[in-house]
Amino acid sequence: KELDEESLSSVSERLRLALIESDVALPVAFEIVDNVVSSLKGVRIGRTEGVYQVVLRSLRETLYKMLSSIQQVDLVSEAMKRRKEGRIFTVMFVGPNGHGKTLTVAKIANLLLKNNLSVVLACSDTFRAGAEEQLEVHATRLGVKLIRHRYGADPAAVAYDAVIHALARGVTCVLIDTAGRLQTDKGLMDELRKIARVAKPDLKVLVVDALTGNDAYDMAIKFNEAIGIDATVLTKVDADVKGGAAISISVATRKPIIYFGTGQGYDDLKPFDAQWLLDRILP
Amino acid sequence: KLGTSLREAIKKFLGRPVADELAVKELIRDVQRALLLADVNVELVLKITQLIEERALKEPVPSGFTRREVTLKVLYESLVELLGGEKQPKILYPANESITLMLVGVQGSGKTTTAAKLAWFYKSRGYRPGIVCADTFRPGAYDQLKQLALSVGVPFYGERTGTSTEIALRGINELKKMGCNVIIIDTAGRHKSESTLMEEMKLLSEVIKPSEVILVVDATIGQQAKVQAEAFNNATKIGSIIVTKLDGAAKGGGALSAVVATGAQIKFIGIGEKIDELEIFDPPSFVSRLLG
Ligand SMILES: Nc1nc2c(ncn2[C@@H]2O[C@H](COP(=O)(O)OP(=O)(O)OP(=O)(O)O)[C@@H](O)[C@H]2O)c(=O)[nH]1
Ligand SMILES: Nc1nc2c(ncn2[C@@H]2O[C@H](COP(=O)(O)OP(=O)(O)OP(=O)(O)O)[C@@H](O)[C@H]2O)c(=O)[nH]1
Ligand SMILES: [Mg+2]
Ligand SMILES: [Mg+2]
């Protein structure tokens, strides 16, 4: 039988809703399903094959291809490469309020330390109450130096200081934690631009909560427009989420999801796995 | 087609000479899309729009009105109704009563910041608030809340070591002795799959018996809002909801799902990081923002 308009339209509605229920942003869900469906028009399938199963399989293949076509980034080997070249490796963490930047900085520091790389932390959140004390606890637990200024100081100056410290002391990795901000705040997005301009990070990492819905798409677009995102960490996937935000962010940035945050311990960092993600997102 | 905001859909709908069944159905489609974009739970969107469509097509049209005006009225009213409608939530308490508010919610939703905002809100209305840090897990939680309490100018109680239950009990005692009549308890973030933390929250609530357990919900949360709210409600009966980060682009549809899942009303919304960026919830303006 041939896949026609009618048989495809009810299936596409079902699959769009399935993606939306998995927290894929609406415009992204529509675009992906519509592309898959239009590529299947007029295709002949076996008499006993179900239209739904055929389209679902094609959807999975399309999503897998899209995710695997994005160049991955291996943070540890990037750091090692820089050390070999006698250079430092600076990573800047950005993202919306409360989505998990500070804990992610600690997790990444832990990962680098386990790979025998030296680390210094920069607290470029000079705004939020308790931000410096929070990162100080992580630094103490990990046994690394934290560069911090007083509250209200210039966040770019803290980042700059940390870079100077790393160069002077022969520390390889500089991890810069920044204050949370919503992508709609022009002033705060300008501040982020300034920190990036001063610190010149090798990697700008977006940290987003996997519980996020449609806003993940706009978040990724705006943060990308502001400073250019090189990679994303999707946190709190242990909260029984489907993780569709990963698709929205991948489409918006065309950059890799490098880790999933899977809990509140330093080891709760899982490398990106496309099949694992699709198993959760797709019915 | 997706770029059509609901306002344009309504304009188009009203522009038609007769609001026939097809026009109503088309409007319903656009409403579904707007609600999904706003992160309202998929099942709830389908349920709401089905109800509205049935009512809109069957509801008698009073003289002087058109069926299309009835449809829009039904849509708006149904959503406002879901959010508590005209029923004024209890925000102000008798001054001689001592009340305890316990804040709970998923990690990073804004509990600690909201605890301070609530203290400022009640202080500016003549109450004597006090804040207790019962978050013994998060690094810097004590310092964060203590700094916030200082900026609001209210008594703070916390201990650097101890269990959350012991600290909460001692805190309530100490603050009452100091004359506080609105005691706000900040707790650690947690989600439904962390059974130990959910148990801790349940125990905490049973021991301190708060006047109200407040669920703090991030406006950016998507389809999981309903499931998380249900789990919180099963562990500790949720008395009210506060939706944070509505100063961003998110419409907060997840909060609507949380309302339906818990039967609790939204009392406040957070519209920024500063202490005074808390507003009393207003269903009509939330609904108009929801519908874009
Ligand atoms: N369960 C779980 N909790 C997480 C994860 N990542 C972060 N958290 C928690 O989320 C909360 C917020 O984390 P933070 O690291 O403070 O978030 P942030 O983005 O730095 O917050 P701001 O600096 O205020 O914008 C904390 O309670 C963390 O423990 C994760 O992968 N799983
Ligand atoms: N823009 C904005 N940010 C907010 C709002 N409410 C809280 N925040 C920010 O969100 C982040 C998380 O707030 P917290 O109060 O630490 O959240 P929490 O729920 O106590 O986090 P945990 O204790 O780790 O679960 C902080 O950066 C706050 O400043 C709000 O209404 N608007
Ligand atoms: Mg932080
Ligand atoms: Mg907190």
Side-chain angles (χ1 to χ4, degrees):
Chain A
K1 61 185 169 192
E2 184 178 296
L3 289 173
D4 61 12
E5 185 94 34
E6 187 182 341
S7 58
L8 286 172
S9 76
S10 71
V11 167
S12 47
E13 175 70 355
R14 270 176 75 190
L15 288 175
R16 275 197 297 264
L17 279 180
L19 288 182
I20 291 166
E21 276 187 306
S22 292
D23 284 318
V24 175
L26 202 108
V28 176
F30 263 81
E31 186 183 338
I32 293 176
V33 172
D34 290 351
N35 285 342
V36 167
V37 163
S38 61
S39 72
L40 289 174
K41 271 210 192 75
V43 166
R44 303 202 72 84
I45 64 171
R47 202 172 328 191
T48 55
E49 281 190 282
V51 181
Y52 180 77
Q53 287 307 328
V54 170
V55 183
L56 177 59
R57 192 169 57 233
S58 177
L59 175 61
R60 188 181 178 111
E61 284 168 7
T62 303
L63 284 171
Y64 184 77
K65 232 199 253 126
M66 187 269 292
L67 291 170
S68 1
S69 71
I70 297 173
Q71 170 98 2
Q72 254 300 337
V73 168
D74 185 338
L75 218 69
V76 175
S77 47
E78 285 300 314
M80 286 182 169
K81 181 156 139 269
R82 295 266 178 349
R83 181 174 60 187
K84 230 192 197 145
E85 299 166 355
R87 292 167 48 208
I88 63 169
F89 181 54
T90 307
V91 186
M92 178 178 164
F93 294 82
V94 305
N97 302 76
H99 280 220
K101 296 173 293 300
T102 303
L103 181 60
T104 300
V105 166
K107 289 177 182 178
I108 299 280
N110 178 55
L111 175 69
L112 294 166
L113 290 167
K114 277 186 159 169
N115 281 276
N116 295 313
L117 290 151
S118 52
V119 178
V120 59
L121 304 180
C123 187
S124 281
D125 181 350
T126 56
F127 169 77
R128 205 209 69 210
E132 306 203 1
E133 287 79 2
Q134 182 184 10
L135 199 52
E136 189 77 69
V137 170
H138 287 307
T140 305
R141 285 181 188 174
L142 293 164
V144 298
K145 170 103 180 124
L146 170 68
I147 301 295
R148 55 185 283 195
H149 292 186
R150 61 176 175 73
Y151 281 103
D154 179 6
V158 183
Y160 184 78
D161 244 8
V163 168
I164 297 302
H165 172 94
L167 289 169
R169 307 292 179 89
V171 175
T172 305
C173 310
V174 179
L175 305 184
I176 304 167
D177 188 16
T178 66
R181 68 205 70 220
L182 298 180
Q183 74 276 17
T184 47
D185 192 318
K186 297 267 177 335
L188 289 181
M189 296 309 275
D190 284 341
E191 178 191 81
L192 212 56
R193 261 187 276 267
K194 178 176 177 213
I195 302 173
R197 203 168 51 241
V198 167
K200 297 190 179 54
D202 298 299
L203 223 62
K204 286 161 278 179
V205 178
L206 178 66
V207 179
V208 176
D209 190 331
L211 287 161
T212 311
N214 279 276
D215 208 21
Y217 189 52
D218 191 54
M219 281 170 182
I221 291 174
K222 297 284 162 44
F223 273 92
N224 200 26
E225 278 174 2
I227 58 166
I229 297 302
D230 301 306
T232 296
V233 173
L234 196 68
T235 62
K236 309 179 203 171
V237 301
D238 50 304
D240 194 25
V241 296
K242 304 286 177 57
I247 304 296
S248 313
I249 295 169
S250 298
V251 167
T253 63
R254 295 287 157 182
K255 287 292 154 71
I257 309 280
I258 52 174
Y259 293 108
F260 294 112
T262 58
Q264 301 193 89
Y266 292 153
D267 293 329
D268 293 326
L269 199 63
K270 176 188 164 71
F272 181 71
D273 180 341
Q275 296 289 9
W276 179 86
L277 179 69
L278 293 178
D279 284 343
R280 300 168 75 99
I281 291 177
L282 295 172
Chain B
K1 186 99 216 327
L2 265 183
T4 307
S5 76
L6 190 64
R7 196 177 325 153
E8 291 177 44
I10 291 173
K11 209 149 123 244
K12 175 175 58 158
F13 179 69
L14 286 176
R16 294 180 116 102
V18 168
D20 58 322
E21 181 160 330
L22 206 60
V24 171
K25 283 197 184 290
E26 199 178 316
L27 179 71
I28 293 296
R29 276 296 278 170
D30 291 325
V31 170
Q32 282 176 343
R33 225 159 279 179
L35 292 177
L36 288 176
L37 259 172
D39 294 315
V40 180
N41 179 271
V42 171
E43 235 185 275
L44 187 59
V45 171
L46 298 177
K47 206 184 289 169
I48 292 173
T49 52
Q50 185 181 352
L51 264 141
I52 291 173
E53 186 173 359
E54 287 173 7
R55 266 187 68 190
L57 293 173
K58 297 203 196 78
E59 183 131 320
V61 184
S63 62
F65 289 92
T66 63
R67 178 162 301 285
R68 54 181 181 255
E69 286 171 312
V70 169
T71 308
L72 291 169
K73 183 163 157 293
V74 168
L75 163 66
Y76 188 78
E77 283 178 354
S78 312
L79 289 172
V80 170
E81 194 56 37
L82 264 178
L83 290 164
E86 292 301 304
K87 182 159 122 263
Q88 277 296 347
K90 182 163 195 222
I91 291 178
L92 301 176
Y93 307 88
N96 57 354
E97 239 177 69
S98 154
I99 64 151
T100 316
L101 306 173
M102 176 173 151
L103 298 179
V104 301
V106 175
Q107 286 92 345
S109 57
K111 299 173 290 301
T112 304
T113 310
T114 302
K117 288 179 177 180
L118 284 170
W120 183 89
F121 176 88
Y122 284 108
K123 182 179 178 191
S124 63
R125 278 161 178 77
Y127 295 82
R128 291 181 309 282
I131 305 179
V132 178
C133 176
D135 178 352
T136 54
F137 179 84
R138 172 171 153 153
Y142 174 103
D143 296 285
Q144 181 183 8
L145 198 51
K146 185 168 190 199
Q147 288 169 20
L148 288 171
L150 191 66
S151 63
V152 174
V154 296
F156 165 80
Y157 187 90
E159 294 172 27
R160 292 210 180 262
T161 57
T163 70
S164 58
T165 329
E166 292 170 352
I167 296 172
L169 279 174
R170 283 196 280 269
I172 292 169
N173 257 337
E174 284 306 307
L175 292 177
K176 276 190 178 159
K177 275 203 230 133
M178 292 175 87
C180 291
N181 57 8
V182 175
I183 299 170
I184 300 156
I185 318 265
D186 183 23
T187 71
R190 69 203 77 222
H191 59 69
K192 72 182 242 296
S193 309
E194 293 163 326
S195 45
T196 316
L197 295 181
M198 295 303 280
E199 270 309 304
E200 183 228 34
M201 176 179 72
K202 191 165 187 283
L203 177 68
L204 190 59
S205 172
E206 283 165 359
V207 167
I208 68 177
K209 299 186 178 56
S211 319
E212 184 157 290
V213 176
I214 303 175
L215 179 67
V216 178
V217 178
D218 187 333
T220 66
I221 193 169
Q223 293 291 316
Q224 292 299 315
K226 170 170 178 267
V227 145
Q228 291 292 339
E230 277 168 351
F232 275 88
N233 200 39
N234 286 335
T236 52
K237 184 88 196 82
I238 301 299
S240 70
I241 294 170
I242 295 181
V243 189
T244 62
K245 308 178 202 174
L246 276 170
D247 46 307
K251 307 269 170 47
L256 179 64
S257 311
V259 165
V260 174
T262 60
Q265 271 187 293
I266 300 172
K267 286 193 179 179
F268 295 99
I269 60 170
I271 51 160
E273 292 191 77
K274 301 207 211 72
I275 290 298
D276 60 351
E277 290 176 316
L278 186 78
E279 279 180 3
I280 296 176
F281 182 65
D282 174 50
S285 44
F286 184 80
V287 170
S288 12
R289 180 197 165 107
L290 202 71
L291 298 178

